[in-house]
Amino acid sequence: MKIASILSVAALLISGGIDGVSACQGNEVLYQERFDTGGSSWGSHPWMKFERGKLLITPDAGSNLSIHSPSGLLEDYDVCADLVQRNGNATGGYASLLFWSQDATNFYTFDVSVFGHIRVSRLQNNAWRVPVPWKQARAVSPGSSVNKLRVRTLGNRVTVFVNGIEVASLQAQRPSGGSLVGVMAVAPT
């Protein structure tokens, strides 16, 4: 049974040649998606659809769904997405930007809950680690408001932002040879 939990991604922008000043405005645009062309490069899955310029992801209760951007392997980058969560269950659920992703069992997530909390997680060899545990972030617009998420990677440093405000930064081991980015939706039980 599906639960009323939907992640809506309105836009995704990846830029390179990090300038460190403006949100997702590096020296060159590496990939940009407005989800207004049917999204064929994102593939076709029964749990996702494209509607009015948005990518909608609908996971089953207690599960998560993720999809990688068709941008290819990236080194240092700045990725931004406008995310909206529609969640009819008071027990939670959250939306994430995936970064430093190598495959389905090795990636980092920047997570934002409908209650205004953020965290940074890492799935390594299919085991979860949490370098930045859940914490309240005043920058998050709770509920079903649009939140502009941003992840900036530069070397082994990752900095995450919500609505233009830095909410966490950490040193971590980035994958060698480039990585993928994407989005993930997690539905409450």
Side-chain angles (χ1 to χ4, degrees):
M1 177 173 134
K2 297 272 186 197
I3 196 159
S5 183
I6 299 173
L7 170 63
S8 173
V9 183
L12 181 74
L13 175 68
I14 304 168
S15 61
I18 309 298
D19 66 4
V21 179
S22 303
C24 285
Q25 296 189 10
N27 296 332
E28 73 178 292
V29 173
L30 301 175
Y31 180 81
Q32 184 170 4
E33 179 68 62
R34 296 189 192 284
F35 302 110
D36 56 2
T37 60
S40 61
S41 64
W42 285 76
S44 176
H45 303 280
W47 44 265
M48 67 181 249
K49 67 180 180 177
F50 298 89
E51 184 178 280
R52 294 189 303 269
K54 295 178 177 71
L55 166 63
L56 303 177
I57 301 173
T58 309
D60 289 328
S63 69
N64 68 68
L65 294 169
S66 62
I67 188 165
H68 287 102
S69 158
S71 60
L73 293 175
L74 304 163
E75 293 287 340
D76 292 332
Y77 52 84
D78 207 351
V79 59
C80 296
D82 294 343
L83 301 180
V84 177
Q85 300 176 71
R86 290 181 180 80
N87 185 346
N89 186 320
T91 63
Y94 54 91
S96 307
L97 274 180
L98 301 175
F99 65 98
W100 282 347
S101 181
Q102 296 173 287
D103 55 42
T105 61
N106 293 283
F107 56 83
Y108 285 80
T109 63
F110 171 38
D111 309 319
V112 177
S113 79
V114 295
F115 303 115
H117 294 86
I118 65 100
R119 78 172 174 187
V120 176
S121 301
R122 180 181 188 187
L123 186 63
Q124 183 180 29
N125 298 321
N126 218 29
W128 284 104
R129 289 146 176 74
V130 183
V132 178
W134 285 115
K135 66 178 185 175
Q136 187 73 38
R138 291 186 178 156
V140 176
S141 298
S144 60
S145 301
V146 174
N147 280 292
K148 296 178 181 300
L149 275 54
R150 175 184 177 203
V151 173
R152 182 178 64 205
T153 67
L154 186 58
N156 286 337
R157 164 100 17 221
V158 60
T159 308
V160 294
F161 304 81
V162 177
N163 298 321
I165 299 170
E166 182 179 325
V167 292
S169 185
L170 65 139
Q171 286 282 127
Q173 185 60 47
R174 78 174 187 176
S176 61
S179 63
L180 300 168
V181 299
V183 293
M184 181 170 73
V186 178
T189 55

